[in-house]
Amino acid sequence: MTREEKAVIIDELSEKFKAIPYFYIVDATGMTVGETNNLRRKCFTQGVEYRVFKNTLIAKALETLDTDYTPFNDSVLKGFSGIMFHPESGKAAAKLIKEFRKESGNDKLKLKGASVEYSLFIGADQLDTLLTLKSKQELIGEIIGLLQSPAKNVVSALQSSGGKLAGILKTLSEREG
């Protein structure tokens, strides 16, 4: 591969990292051709882009970004590295990895590291953490729900109190009459 070809790949990869804030770096060492094809098929059907790159090209592309990805250099960018991108969800790739491992009955597909909204997750033990992450839209929805609930409680209390007050006034006016 010439320097020009490498430069094109680095530029393409750094643009992808800038455009998509969710990516997972996985190790698929030891997988058969059939298992790899099955993984690629699953990725395609679930909207996850899966590509394999050299670690040096990944590292150089990550260096062009504003976020500090140097923690990836020690453990994540070693050995075989495939990258999974999903444009909308931080946990789509985590679900796919877990589902693939369950269906294949082996742990050949390993999570090495992930970046979700520029937060770093390093190591295979982070997979369950990544599965429980909530998306930005889910968090905004929860906050709006929490902010609305006190107002709803006040309104319903006023409405129920108003009904009780009207009932009491009606009862008192009937007694006097």
Side-chain angles (χ1 to χ4, degrees):
M1 187 180 297
T2 66
R3 285 184 188 211
E4 291 80 21
E5 292 171 330
K6 289 179 183 178
V8 168
I9 291 173
I10 291 169
D11 289 341
E12 174 191 330
L13 198 51
S14 62
E15 288 302 315
K16 181 134 340 234
F17 286 138
K18 287 176 188 172
I20 300 173
Y22 313 108
F23 66 88
Y24 286 57
I25 299 176
V26 296
D27 182 358
T29 304
M31 287 177 54
T32 65
V33 173
E35 290 171 330
T36 304
N37 288 339
N38 187 26
L39 173 63
R40 289 184 184 276
R41 197 174 303 110
K42 274 191 156 323
C43 287
F44 179 76
T45 58
Q46 295 185 20
V48 175
E49 182 183 349
Y50 175 68
R51 296 190 51 197
V52 177
F53 294 97
K54 287 185 162 191
N55 289 321
T56 53
L57 298 178
I58 297 169
K60 286 184 181 185
L62 290 174
E63 286 173 5
T64 64
L65 305 176
D66 295 333
T67 305
D68 180 23
Y69 287 101
T70 54
F72 277 4
N73 294 339
D74 296 332
S75 58
V76 176
L77 297 177
K78 302 285 185 217
F80 180 89
S81 294
I83 304 176
M84 293 180 164
F85 296 99
H86 194 278
E88 299 168 4
S89 172
K91 49 182 173 176
K95 287 179 185 177
L96 187 139
I97 293 168
K98 186 108 174 171
E99 185 180 300
F100 180 81
R101 290 170 75 176
K102 186 177 180 182
E103 287 178 7
S104 66
N106 61 47
D107 293 342
K108 291 181 183 176
L109 182 63
K110 296 175 188 74
L111 173 69
K112 292 168 54 174
S115 174
V116 177
E117 292 285 340
Y118 309 107
S119 295
L120 304 183
F121 299 87
I122 298 174
D125 58 329
Q126 296 293 314
L127 187 62
D128 290 330
T129 304
L130 289 163
L131 285 167
T132 59
L133 285 180
K134 294 185 179 187
S135 70
K136 190 185 285 185
Q137 289 80 11
E138 290 172 329
L139 290 173
I140 290 171
E142 282 186 12
I143 290 171
I144 289 172
L146 289 171
L147 291 173
Q148 286 179 341
S149 70
K152 286 181 183 175
N153 290 343
V154 169
V155 169
S156 65
L158 289 173
Q159 287 175 341
S160 66
S161 298
K164 287 180 187 176
L165 186 60
I168 293 170
L169 288 175
K170 183 178 179 185
T171 305
L172 288 174
S173 67
E174 288 174 358
R175 270 194 204 165
E176 290 177 5

